[in-house]
Amino acid sequence: MYELAAVILVLIFAVLFAYVVAPLVQLAERPIRIATRRWRLPRGVAIVLIYLLMAGILSIGGALLLPSAGEQVDDMIASAPAYAQSVVAWERDWSGYYDRLRIPLELRRNIDQSVLAAGQAAVASSRASLFALAGALSNLPWLMLIPILAFFLLKDAVSFRRSFLTALPHRARLHGHRLLEDLNATLGAYIRAQLLACAVAGIVCGIGFAVLGVPYPLLLGALAGALEFIPLVGPLVVAIVASIVAALHAPMLVLWTAGFLGTFRVVEDYVIYPRLIRRG
């Protein structure tokens, strides 16, 4: 049962990957004029060319970013005891703040429970992300099948569509063709827009955290990009995690972090994402 689920998941990711790569393949397939003749790359060659280009970009990006990411992970592990002491000191200061304001006991409990629940949710989300990453690395052979399957999906997409339409009754073929065209356009636009939104969120948040001085901007930016795919919950978890990290570094930094994330969320949801959908 587990292997069947893994196969289905790989097929789904292969379809998603094919939708992402398809516009680039179409661009590479465009005919070019050399002298008096028009040349056009075969579809298989165009796909391989795009794969090589993407592999080169990923290799360069990994060579540039992985050392910094490794340093930030090491620094985070080394700073864990200091962060624990900061939490203890923060809890002591928080209790004194309660006493100065003479906050009722019931309200104190509600505030403490809310803060505790938010912290537990952030820790659980971070732990789940680490487990998911570890699981993805353990299933690396399965993940390597994604671009391979996507290659055949891209190469034989026309044949697959023709076979599907041929299997339909003659009267339903025109309707089926239109349905496939609409479904393909809508699904492709959504997937590409969603992945571009993840990339925008990761890059903007990473740069923003670095400018504000929030620790581990590369890791937090990567987390923001990955969780952007999950509506509502993903950005909320990023805000909680980033606020906790900022608070442990400098309490006033929380306000700047929250303001930055709030502003970015408004711009992302009402300006960037609608344009990505329209252009997808």
Side-chain angles (χ1 to χ4, degrees):
M1 190 66 181
Y2 172 78
E3 293 182 354
L4 178 60
V7 170
I8 294 175
L9 189 62
V10 167
L11 288 175
I12 292 174
F13 278 114
V15 172
L16 297 178
F17 185 74
Y19 270 112
V20 173
V21 178
L24 300 176
V25 174
Q26 293 174 359
L27 182 63
E29 280 186 307
R30 288 184 179 179
I32 57 175
R33 183 179 295 275
I34 300 178
T36 58
R37 300 185 60 181
R38 292 170 63 88
W39 294 84
R40 183 173 183 174
L41 289 176
R43 190 168 183 82
V45 176
I47 297 171
V48 171
L49 180 63
I50 295 301
Y51 273 25
L52 292 176
L53 180 62
M54 294 177 65
I57 294 174
L58 290 176
S59 299
I60 295 173
L64 293 175
L65 298 179
L66 284 180
S68 299
E71 291 177 0
Q72 291 184 14
V73 171
D74 294 338
D75 182 61
M76 181 174 60
I77 295 174
S79 302
Y83 285 152
Q85 294 178 0
S86 298
V87 170
V88 173
W90 177 80
E91 184 179 2
R92 190 182 304 114
D93 295 339
W94 189 259
S95 299
Y97 187 69
Y98 279 156
D99 295 335
R100 288 195 300 271
L101 293 180
R102 298 179 180 179
I103 297 177
L105 182 60
E106 186 66 25
L107 182 57
R108 291 187 186 186
R109 291 176 179 174
N110 292 334
I111 295 175
D112 290 340
Q113 289 176 357
S114 299
V115 173
L116 181 61
Q120 290 176 345
V123 171
S125 176
S126 301
R127 185 179 301 170
S129 300
L130 292 176
F131 284 151
L133 178 60
L137 293 177
S138 64
N139 293 323
L140 188 60
W142 286 100
L143 297 179
M144 293 176 63
L145 291 175
I146 293 175
I148 298 175
L149 293 175
F151 175 86
F152 291 105
L153 290 174
L154 289 166
K155 183 176 181 296
D156 300 323
V158 177
S159 300
F160 291 150
R161 182 182 303 179
R162 186 183 301 114
S163 300
F164 174 78
L165 293 176
T166 304
L168 295 176
H170 184 74
R171 293 179 299 176
R173 290 179 184 176
L174 180 59
H175 180 70
H177 174 74
R178 292 175 178 173
L179 178 62
L180 285 179
E181 289 291 332
D182 293 341
L183 182 62
N184 180 61
T186 303
L187 187 59
Y190 172 76
I191 292 172
R192 287 189 287 270
Q194 196 67 32
L195 292 178
L196 285 174
C198 292
V200 169
I203 294 172
V204 173
C205 287
I207 295 175
F209 292 147
V211 171
L212 292 175
V214 179
Y216 323 120
L218 190 58
L219 299 180
L220 291 175
L223 181 66
L227 295 183
E228 182 69 18
F229 208 82
I230 306 174
L232 298 178
V233 177
L236 179 60
V237 171
V238 172
I240 294 173
V241 173
S243 298
I244 292 174
V245 173
L248 292 174
H249 182 69
M252 287 301 298
L253 190 57
V254 177
L255 299 178
W256 290 101
T257 302
F260 163 70
L261 289 175
T263 303
F264 170 71
R265 181 49 43 197
V266 172
V267 175
E268 171 81 356
D269 291 344
Y270 294 99
V271 179
I272 298 176
Y273 191 75
R275 294 187 178 184
L276 292 177
I277 285 289
R278 287 196 298 267
R279 297 180 180 180

